[in-house]
Every structure is written in C-alpha cells, then in structure tokens.
Amino acid sequence: MPGALSTSPFATRRLRRTTALLAVAWLLSTGPFVADAAAADAAAADAAADAAAPAAGYPPLGTEVMVLDLEALAEEAERELAEREAIRQRYREAPRGPAVDTPSRPSVPAIALRPAEPIEPPPVTRLRIMLDWTPSPRHAALIVARERGLFASRGLAVTLSTPADPDVPTKLLAASRIDLALARQPLLHLEVDRGQPLVRVATLVAMPLSALVVREDSEITAAVDLAGARIGHVDADSRDVLLRALLREASVRDDEVKTEELHFRLGDALREGRVEGVIGAMRHLLPRQLADEGLATRVLTSEALGIPLHDGLVLLANRDHLGAQREAIRRLVEALEEAAAWIANHPDEAWTLIASAEPGLDTPVGREAWPQVRPRLSLSPAALDHGRYRRFEEYLHDAGILEERHPVARLAVDPGAPAP
C-alpha cells in the first residue's frame, strides 16, 4: 500500500530515536566517556537505518530538518527519572500507604444509594432560673456566663426571669414550676425546716449583702432600739429570720415591733415615713438610691448586729429532681465558675458587658455598687463550707427560729462531688 510505505520509515526512525535517547539518559549517569561512545553508536545506527530505508520515505529536497538537542533531552529524561524516584521514595516512607500527594487513580462513587443523613445538633438541656430580685450587680456571674456563651458551650439553654414578688421563687421551685431559684442562705434554712424540698447547689455571693437601713433622723442605732419602731421587711426570711434573730439578741419581744411587708417598695416607704427602717435591704443599692433623692440613711449590717456570716446569694434546686438534673447543674455551676474567674481578671470589661446586657443597671447607683459587690462574688461557686452552714443552722435553732437541727447534707450539696 503506498500510504503505508511512505509513513512507515518515519515511524521506525522515531521509535529508534526514542530508544536511543533513553539509552543515552541512562548512560549519562554512568560517566561521560561511556555516554559519548553510546551516543556515537546510536548516531551510527540511525545513519545506517536511514541508508537502508527506501528513498520514497525521505522528505523532498530543500525541506528544513530539525536537529535534536540530545544533551537537553538527556537532562529532561534525568529529571523525569529523579521525580519518579522521589515519588516512589515518599510512597515507601509513608506510614499507612501512599501519601496525599501520591498520584493515584481517582476514586468516584458508582452510584448514590440515598441522600446524606442530616447533621443533628447536639442535645441541649434547658434550665429555667428565677432571680431573687430585679437584675443587679450581684447577679454578675449569671449575666456574664450567659453573654459570653459559657452556658451554650456546655449544651445548656438557660433562661433568667425576674419574680413579681420576692417570696415567689422558692415557692415555684418547691412546686417544680422552675428548675432553679436564687435566695439568701437564711431563707434556705427556714424553708428546709418547713419541709420544703430545697437544697443549695452553688454560691454566687459568699458574704452577706443585706442590712438594716434606717432613716438618719430616727433614733435607731442598735437592735435594742427597735422596740416600739415600725420596720418594713423585704421578704419572708428578712422578717422571720433576720429580724427575729436581731430581736432575740436585743431581748426585744416580737410584739414590740410593728412590721410591714414592702416587697419592691422599700424606698417609697422610707421616703414617705411609713417605716423607720427596712430589714433585708441591699446595703450597696438602697442607701445610695435614697441619697440621690435627698434622704439620708444609716446602714446597720447584719454581721455588725451579731448575725453570723453566711452566704449572701445561693442557687437552690429541688431535691426531688436533683438526681435527674445533677449533670446539667454541674455544667451550669462550672460555667458560673469560669464567669467568676473572668470577672476577677477583667473587672472593667465585665461591667461593660453587664451594663450592655442589662442597660437598667448602667446608672450612678449601679456603677457605684459594682466595686462593692465584685469582691464578694464567689470564685468557687460549687465549694461548700460545711462548718459555716452547720454554725448558722445551730444559731437559728438556738434562737428559736428553727424547730429542729438539720444536717448539712440536707441543706446543701456540691453538684460536682460523687453522689452518695
């Protein structure tokens, strides 16, 4: 066939040249003299083949012929051999087969049997916490933990609510209407003595914050002066624990003091002169608030009046549900501890965050209260001082406020400790 005769010599020469170039590349690695000899032999063989080829297979006269650069081709062949050897070496050194960049045949799934399963979000535990009062600097750990995402990072969705009445939180908690409630330690002792299933699981404020706040124009300077006075109270523990303890210390009978339930209307009652003093008021808030309104007051702290030191703000749980909620409460308290540590390390940033989250606190009263409350925040909310709780229980029992003594284990627990 004419076509085959005209093209066959070119294909034959191309195959011989490729074979010769590969041989030259191999021989170059063995030494220059052998390579030169091999190149000469290859050229001679190529010339002999050309002479033996039919004349019809040559290109016409006057055609430009490209002279190959054998040295450049040999260098290129060397580079290819070196690259392949490097790839094989990475393959041999790989601990579990070929490395990521090792050439391999791409793997393509033959068929999709069904859609990919949707990614389910991690389970979230919801906890409802009722404050003891309107938001205040003493609630700093809760606010910071919420705003910095410390609850969410532990799988918790925490809701904070404000009570309409300061006596409501413990009642709702006992009735299982909420998960947790804030209160002062004296109220815990009183409610447990009344048979309520409440237990302390964390301490937010480790020092008392309540006090007896009296008008400066009154004659009350000590507990003994309460006889014949009219005293307002904030909530049940202010009247039934703090006030009764003060009267017993001063040998004043209960019927010698007139009391009035005020709830959130403390300032109004003092300004209007309906009462001479208020028991259970927050010492860092009410006096400054009244001073801004032109009413001077005196503050008689609970410890100055002879009441033993106790926790100023505790987190209470329902003992009947503690077993099921223990793990969630442990994570909650862990978040509060991280928040308290961050507050201690960044007090100014903490106040900026709190004021941004609760704009109602960003007032002259709130800004002045912050440095007073901050040192009293508990850095270890889960830590339980058994001796303090036992001493306070005995004090209240000896004062006739409690009918019986209760063991500390009935009053408070560390949620992170192994369950008994």
Side-chain angles (χ1 to χ4, degrees):
M1 296 175 62
L5 291 174
S6 62
T7 58
S8 169
F10 290 110
T12 303
R13 286 197 300 275
R14 190 179 299 113
L15 177 60
R16 284 199 297 272
R17 285 194 182 96
T18 302
T19 304
L21 288 174
L22 290 176
V24 168
W26 177 81
L27 291 171
L28 282 174
S29 63
T30 63
F33 300 107
V34 177
D36 291 341
D41 292 344
D46 195 45
D50 289 342
Y58 287 97
L61 294 174
T63 302
E64 291 186 19
V65 178
M66 180 182 294
V67 179
L68 297 177
D69 188 347
L70 295 180
E71 187 174 352
L73 290 174
E75 290 176 357
E76 183 178 354
E78 269 194 305
R79 283 195 297 273
E80 288 185 4
L81 290 173
E83 288 175 0
R84 293 183 183 182
E85 179 59 28
I87 291 174
R88 285 194 294 271
Q89 184 63 24
R90 288 202 300 274
Y91 177 90
R92 288 191 292 268
E93 293 176 354
R96 297 182 186 88
V100 176
D101 58 349
T102 301
S104 61
R105 180 177 297 175
S107 175
V108 180
I111 186 171
L113 299 179
R114 59 182 179 180
E117 295 291 337
I119 299 176
E120 296 185 3
V124 174
T125 303
R126 302 188 179 278
L127 291 176
R128 299 160 296 172
I129 303 177
M130 183 164 283
L131 306 180
D132 59 319
W133 198 262
T134 56
S136 162
R138 66 183 180 275
H139 303 132
L142 283 167
I143 297 172
V144 167
R146 181 191 65 189
E147 296 303 309
R148 287 180 58 80
L150 304 182
F151 294 141
S153 66
R154 291 168 171 82
L156 301 174
V158 177
T159 302
L160 305 180
S161 59
T162 301
D165 183 324
D167 288 328
V168 166
T170 53
K171 294 177 181 178
L172 293 178
L173 181 60
S176 303
R177 300 285 299 277
I178 55 178
D179 300 303
L180 299 158
L182 293 182
R184 293 188 289 262
Q185 183 183 337
L187 182 59
L188 166 65
H189 292 261
L190 186 64
E191 294 292 356
V192 169
D193 194 58
R194 292 172 176 173
Q196 297 296 334
L198 306 182
V199 62
R200 172 267 185 204
V201 293
T203 298
L204 273 68
V205 180
M207 296 285 290
L209 293 176
S210 59
L212 173 63
V213 179
V214 299
R215 292 173 60 104
E216 194 175 53
D217 56 10
S218 74
E219 298 180 354
I220 301 174
T221 59
V224 69
D225 300 325
L226 293 174
R230 187 175 186 85
I231 302 298
H233 61 272
V234 177
D235 43 28
D237 67 303
S238 300
R239 178 195 61 207
D240 298 338
V241 179
L242 299 179
L243 183 58
R244 285 184 61 189
L246 292 179
L247 297 180
R248 181 184 180 279
E249 288 288 334
S251 299
V252 177
R253 298 193 313 273
D254 292 350
D255 58 5
E256 293 184 82
V257 178
K258 297 179 181 179
T259 62
E260 181 178 343
E261 190 173 58
L262 301 178
H263 294 324
F264 295 122
R265 305 181 303 276
L266 309 182
D268 294 341
L270 280 172
R271 272 194 313 272
E272 297 166 4
R274 300 202 317 264
V275 297
E276 297 174 69
V278 174
I279 186 72
M282 293 294 102
R283 66 182 74 172
H284 58 286
L285 295 177
L286 185 60
R288 169 61 196 268
Q289 177 185 340
L290 292 174
D292 288 348
E293 298 172 3
L295 180 62
T297 58
R298 283 195 301 271
V299 178
L300 306 177
T301 64
S302 58
E303 53 268 34
L305 293 170
I307 298 177
L309 290 175
H310 54 273
D311 291 347
L313 188 65
V314 294
L315 187 64
L316 305 181
N318 188 312
R319 178 176 286 277
D320 294 340
H321 306 303
L322 185 59
Q325 293 181 323
R326 195 180 191 103
E327 173 57 24
I329 293 175
R330 183 194 64 77
R331 284 182 273 139
L332 173 81
V333 176
E334 185 181 80
L336 293 176
E337 182 174 32
E338 184 175 345
W342 187 81
I343 292 170
N345 292 326
H346 308 87
D348 295 335
E349 294 178 47
W351 174 250
T352 301
L353 179 62
I354 293 168
S356 174
E358 300 289 342
L361 299 181
D362 195 14
T363 64
V365 175
R367 288 191 290 270
E368 183 174 306
W370 177 238
Q372 300 178 49
V373 174
R374 193 181 66 245
R376 292 173 169 80
L377 299 178
S378 175
L379 293 177
S380 300
L384 176 60
D385 189 336
H386 288 74
R388 172 186 276 191
Y389 274 74
R390 184 180 63 254
R391 289 190 298 272
F392 199 71
E393 178 80 0
E394 292 174 352
Y395 169 81
L396 297 178
H397 181 266
D398 295 342
I401 297 171
L402 305 180
E403 293 186 2
E404 60 177 300
R405 292 186 179 91
H406 301 275
V408 174
R410 176 66 181 80
L411 297 164
V413 298
D414 175 355

